Amino acid sequence: MSQETVELDSVIVRFAGDSGDGMQLVGSQFSVASAIAGNDLSTLPDYPAEIRAPAGTVYGVSGFQIQFSHGKTLTPGDHPDTLVAMNPAALKTNVSTLKAGGTIIANADAFTERNMSMVGYETNPLEDGSLEDYSLIAVKMTSLTVEAVKESGLKGKNARRCTNFFALGLICSLYGRPLDATEQFIDAKFAGKPEIQQANTLALNAGVAYAESTEALSVHYQIKPAELDPGLYRSIEGNKALAYGLVTAAEKSGLQLVLASYPITPATSILEELAALRHMGVKTLQMEDEIAGIGAALGASWAGSLGVTTTSGPGVCLKSEFIGLALIVELPLVIVDVQRGGPSTGLPTKTEQSDLMMAMYGRHGDSSIPIIAAKSPSDAFDCAIEATRIATKYMTPVFLMTDGYIANGAEPWSIPNPKDIPEIPVVQHTDPETFQPYKRDPLTLARPWAVPGTPGCEHRLGGLEKENITGDVCTEPENHALMTKLRHDKVEGIARDYPAQQIEGVADSDLLVVSWGSTYGSVSQAVEAVNHDDTDKTVAHVHLRYINPLPADLGEIIKGYKKVIVPEVNNGQFVHILRDKYLVDAQSFARVYGRPLAIDELRDEFISVLSTTKGAK
Amino acid sequence: MSTDPSALTRKDFTPNQDLRWCPGCGDYSIHSMLLSVLPTMGVPKEKIVIVSGIGCSSRFPYYVDTYGFHTIHGRAATVATGLKAANPDLNVWLITGDGDGLSIGGNHTLHLLRRNLDINVILFNNEIYGLTKGQYSPTSTKGLKTKTSPMGSIEQPMRPCAYAIGAGANFVARTTDKNPKHLKATLERAAGHSGACFIEVLQNCVIFNDGVHSEVTDKDKAANNQLVLKAGEPLCFGENNEKGIMLDGFDPKVVDVSQAGEDNLLRHDPTIEDIGYASMLSHFSLPDFPVPMGVFRQTDTVTYDSMIQQQVEVAKANRSDNSLEELYTGFSKASTWEVE
C-alpha cells in the first residue's frame, strides 16, 4: 500500500478512555517518544478524582493531551487535531474540543448498545453520520488486540487490557514516533511477567502494522525535530523537576534534605520521588497529617537540615499555624503548594491558581512570607533552588507555588550541568562569643542559625514574641512594634536580589498583560498571536516569578501602560494584590474551568481590550 | 566538637530567668528533678534538647539552659520527630500536658509513640486546662464542675498510660510531683531507655484543680492507694503490704495477702511483650484498685530515628549512582536525547 507523508509544524493529540484503560500510561509513553523524536512538547494529563469510576461513564473518562511541534510549544494546546476515543463516553466528553475537521480514531469494539445508551447515544455515532465534519477512523482495536496477543497465551480480560498499547502503536506510527523507549518501558515494567510483557509488545506492534496497512490511514505525518539549543534533553513533569531541584538545592547548600509530608493530590509524587532517593542522603518522613508534615519539616530545619513540606490547598489550610511559628522563630523552610481546584476538597485532580490569597494573607498576625511561583514543569526545578536560596539566606519560610497543570504536565528539559548551578552559601553559627539568637545580619536582617548540638550556643525558640537581639520572651509594646517591622522589612528586602523584570511581546504597546505561575505558556502564546496577526494591535507581557515581595521595578513598568490585564486560573486574586500595591486599574481575566487558560480566548480578550483603548500611546 | 559531659552539674542547666509558674505548682518539682537528672546522663549539654507545645507545662524549655523550642499547641511531637529524625544524635525531651498532648495533640503523641522515636515524653497530668484558667480536660473525671462544665463534665476521661500502651509505646510509666525521689528515679529510667518513653506525672494545679490527685499522692494515703511497681516483686500495697493483686480467671482482684498467699499474687514484669498485663494495670483506678506507680512496661525495639539513618547508610553503600548528573536522567539514559 502506498503511503504518503505530510509534514506538519505542530500537532495536538488527545487520548481519552476509561479510568482503567491506561490512558495516562499511553499519554506519558507517547510524550517520551515525542521527546526522543526531538520535538518540543507540552502535556496535560486530565483525569477524574475517582481511581476507577464505573466503566463506560462520562465521569470516569480519563484524558491525556499533548502538543508536540517543530517550533516552540508552551502549552498542550486548546483544540486537538486528533482524538483517540477508547469508548463512547470518551468520544462524548471530548468531541466538542476537537479542531474543525479533526481526526477521530475510535475503538469501534467499545461502541456497544450498553456503552452507548449509558452516555445517551441513541444511535451509533460511528455509523449515523453525526461525525461527518470530522475525519473518522473506526478501528476494532479490542478484537485486533486480542487476535494479536494470542501467541503470548493471554486471553479474555487480560488480553483486552493490552488494547491501550495497540492504540499507542497506531498513533506512534501515524506520527512517526520511535518505539524503542516504549519497548524498553514494557520490558522493565513487566519484567517478572513474561506473558504480559510479550502481549503488550505484540499489541504495540499490531497497532503499528495496522496503521501501516490501512487505507484510511494512508497519510502519515512527520513533525521535524524542534530547534532546541544543543545539549542533553529529557521530558520532565513538574513534580519530578521540583524534586530534583530540592535535591540539587540540598547539595548546593551542603544541607541534608528532609522532606516531611502527607500524601495529597496533586503533590504526592514529590514525596514518592524523594522517598526513592535515600541513596542520595534524602530523608523523607510520611507524617500522620498535614500539620505533622510541616511540624517535622520545621523540626528538621531547626536541626540544621533543609526542611521541606509539600502539599496542596487543603493542606496549606492545616499548616497555617505552623507557618506563623516558622515566621516568628525565623527558620528556613520550603513550603510547596501544588494548587488544585477549591475550596475544600474541590477539584482534586484539576488545576487552579486559587491559593494565592491564602499564601499571601492566610495567617493571623502580621506575617509576610516570601512567595515564588513556577511557570512551567521545568521551571519548578529552578524555583526549588531559588526557594531554598531565599529560605536559607533570609532565615524564613518560603512558599513555592505550582499547580496540578505544572505538577503532571511534561515538557522537554535541557538537562543542566550541575557544575553550572551556583552554590547556595549557608553559614551555621558556631561561635558562642558572638552569638545572640536574634542579632541580625545588618544587610539581610537574617538572624543567625545555630543548631542544636553546637556547644555554647544553647538558646530557646518559641512562638511568644522575642526580644530583639537576645531572643528572650518579651511582651513590651515597643519591642513588638520593632520586631513586627523587622520581620516585614526582612521579607521586603528580598527584592534586592531579583533580576530586572523582562518585558516580553511588544514593549511599546497600550496593553500590558501581567501573569504569574502556570499561565505563562498560554499567555505568551496569546500575546504572540496578537503581535503577529495582520492588525497593528500589539501587547506587552510581564510574567512574575516573585509574588512576595513584588519586584521593585514592577510599579514603574505598570505605570507605562494605558491598560493592564491580569489573566489567572482563579476568580481574580493576583489582580487585587496589584491593584492594592500600585493603585492601578488592572482588569481581571479569570477562568476557573480546572484547565489551563485557552490561548484563543486570551487573544480575543486582548484584542477586545485594545479595541476599546482610545487615543495614542 | 562536643563538650565534656562528666563535668556537668545542675547549675549548667539553671536558666538565667525566673520560673513563672504559680507558687505551689507541681511543675516546680518536675523541673527540679529533671534538672538533677540531665547532668547525669553522660550527654554533652549542647545535645540535650527540650521541645514543648502550649500550656503551663510547655513553658518548660524557657526554664532550662539548653536548646529549647516552645512550639504550638499540641504539635510538639511533630517538631521533635523532625528534629530527631534529622539528627538522631540529639537527646530529646518533650514536655506536654493532658490538654496539649492528649486533646489537641492526641494524634501526634500517638504517632510519636507508635513510630518509637528515641524521645522522652513527660506528660503533666493535672486534669484541667490551667493556662486558659480552668476548663475541663480530656483526663478530667466525669462530673467535674468547671467553667465550661457548670453542671459537671459528661465526658469519659482518658487514661494516659492506657492510651500510650494502646499506641504501642515500649516504655510507659507513671509518677507524681509529690514524690520527688520516685519522680527522679522514673526520669532516670526513661533517660536510660532507647526508644519512645511515655511518663505520666500526676501533677497538682494549685489554682484550678487543687488536690485533684491527693487521694493518691497524700503521704497518709499513698500506702493504701498506690501500687508501687517493682520488677520481679509481687503486686502488694497497704501500710504493711498486706494487700495484693491476683487474677481470678481473666479478672484482677484485690486480696488479703495473708489469706491468698504471696506466691499466688501477680508478680510485676515490665518486659512482657504482650500488652495485656500492662494494659490491665493502666486501667486500675480508685476506689476499686490502687493506682499503679512506676514503670508499667519497658520493652526494647529498634527506633525510628536509627532506622531512617540506617536506610540512608545502606542505600548509600549499595548504590553508586548518586550524582546529580545521574539523578537528572532518572538514573537511565533511555529517556534522554542529544540535540547537536
Side-chain angles (χ1 to χ4, degrees), chain A residues 151-461:
Chain A
E151 66 170 281
S152 73
L154 234 54
K155 284 186 202 137
K157 188 180 162 197
N158 288 335
R160 291 196 295 274
R161 286 183 62 179
C162 302
T163 308
N164 58 336
F165 279 101
F166 180 96
L168 178 60
L170 191 159
I171 292 292
C172 280
S173 169
L174 194 60
Y175 291 105
R177 314 281 91 179
L179 295 177
D180 319 22
T182 301
E183 284 172 341
Q184 282 178 29
F185 169 83
I186 292 173
D187 291 351
K189 186 169 171 78
F190 304 109
K193 300 166 184 161
E195 303 92 41
I196 300 177
Q197 180 187 349
Q198 191 195 0
N200 280 319
T201 310
L202 288 167
L204 181 73
N205 287 305
V208 175
Y210 184 86
E212 285 172 355
S213 61
T214 303
E215 191 66 34
L217 295 167
S218 62
V219 179
H220 282 212
Y221 301 95
Q222 189 190 352
I223 298 88
K224 277 195 189 156
E227 284 157 358
L228 300 168
D229 293 333
L232 186 66
Y233 282 80
R234 61 166 290 171
S235 169
I236 198 157
E237 299 89 13
N239 275 357
K240 195 176 280 249
L242 201 151
Y244 291 178
L246 290 172
V247 176
T248 306
E251 200 156 310
K252 291 289 171 182
S253 59
L255 300 173
Q256 169 183 254
L257 176 58
V258 179
L259 177 83
S261 294
Y262 186 72
I264 183 169
T265 303
T268 311
S269 61
I270 305 172
L271 171 59
E272 292 172 346
E273 194 69 43
L274 291 171
L277 299 179
R278 290 268 200 272
H279 71 292
M280 298 193 72
V282 178
K283 286 181 181 169
T284 51
L285 285 67
Q286 180 177 306
M287 296 302 291
E288 60 271 21
D289 63 22
E290 294 283 355
I291 300 170
I294 187 171
L298 186 63
S301 286
W302 185 35
S305 298
L306 172 58
V308 180
T309 190
T310 48
T311 189
S312 187
V316 179
C317 290
L318 288 163
K319 293 180 195 297
S320 54
E321 187 184 7
F322 252 124
I323 298 172
L325 179 67
L327 283 164
I328 199 167
V329 298
E330 303 189 40
L331 282 168
L333 178 69
V334 176
I335 304 150
V336 177
D337 179 7
V338 185
Q339 300 166 92
R340 66 189 218 186
S344 191
T345 310
L347 306 173
T349 61
K350 307 293 179 190
T351 197
E352 208 160 273
Q353 294 183 296
S354 49
D355 294 351
L356 182 63
M357 287 294 199
M358 172 165 63
M360 192 81 179
Y361 303 116
R363 290 162 299 284
H364 68 281
D366 291 300
S367 48
S368 182
I369 186 169
I371 302 171
I372 67 172
K375 67 177 180 181
S376 72
S378 66
D379 191 45
F381 175 86
D382 299 317
C383 284
I385 296 170
E386 181 64 355
T388 303
R389 191 193 62 77
I390 294 172
T392 51
K393 179 173 177 182
Y394 292 92
M395 293 292 284
T396 178
V398 175
F399 256 113
L400 168 50
M401 315 293 284
T402 72
D403 56 33
Y405 170 39
I406 288 178
N408 296 317
E411 66 177 350
W413 180 44
S414 170
I415 299 177
N417 182 339
K419 292 186 190 71
D420 297 337
I421 299 168
E423 301 292 319
I424 301 174
V426 171
V427 181
Q428 289 177 341
H429 196 98
T430 53
D431 178 12
E433 296 304 315
T434 58
F435 181 65
Q436 295 268 27
Y438 278 74
K439 189 171 137 193
R440 293 168 191 279
D441 178 282
L443 180 65
T444 63
L445 297 180
R447 69 171 197 88
W449 191 6
V451 310
T454 311
C457 292
E458 291 84 358
H459 64 284
R460 270 64 56 197
L461 292 177

Side-chain angles (χ1 to χ4, degrees), chain B residues 49-83:
Chain B
V49 184
I50 301 184
V51 187
S52 68
I54 293 292
C56 293
S57 63
S58 288
R59 295 297 175 100
F60 210 97
Y62 294 121
Y63 306 147
V64 186
D65 188 349
T66 185
Y67 286 97
F69 201 160
H70 179 216
T71 70
I72 54 177
H73 202 19
R75 319 300 178 195
T78 72
V79 173
T81 296
L83 174 80

